Amino acid sequence: MSRTVPSHSLTMTINEACVYMRVSRSTIYNLAKDNKLPIRKVAGRSLILRSDIHSLLGVGG
């Protein structure tokens, strides 16, 4: 999985978030289940806001 996420993108798919955060899909789903990382459904796609990831990780931007 050597995909990169465009830095201008406001949202990420589950797979992109995994690459970005360097965690597994199950970690993403566990964070969502624990209400720590919201996953939004848009037109049948599961998306995560970049700002939500940054808030979770405690980083700016």
Side-chain angles (χ1 to χ4, degrees), residues 18-32:
C18 290
V19 171
Y20 186 76
M21 295 174 64
R22 297 181 180 177
V23 298
S24 67
R25 287 177 64 86
S26 61
T27 298
I28 297 288
Y29 287 118
N30 285 333
L31 288 168

Side-chain angles (χ1 to χ4, degrees), residues 1-38:
M1 214 177 350
S2 63
R3 294 169 49 187
T4 59
V5 180
S7 60
H8 64 276
S9 177
L10 297 177
T11 61
M12 297 181 204
T13 64
I14 300 292
N15 287 338
E16 289 170 338
C18 290
V19 171
Y20 186 76
M21 295 174 64
R22 297 181 180 177
V23 298
S24 67
R25 287 177 64 86
S26 61
T27 298
I28 297 288
Y29 287 118
N30 285 333
L31 288 168
K33 182 184 68 152
D34 294 339
N35 295 315
K36 294 180 180 176
L37 186 64

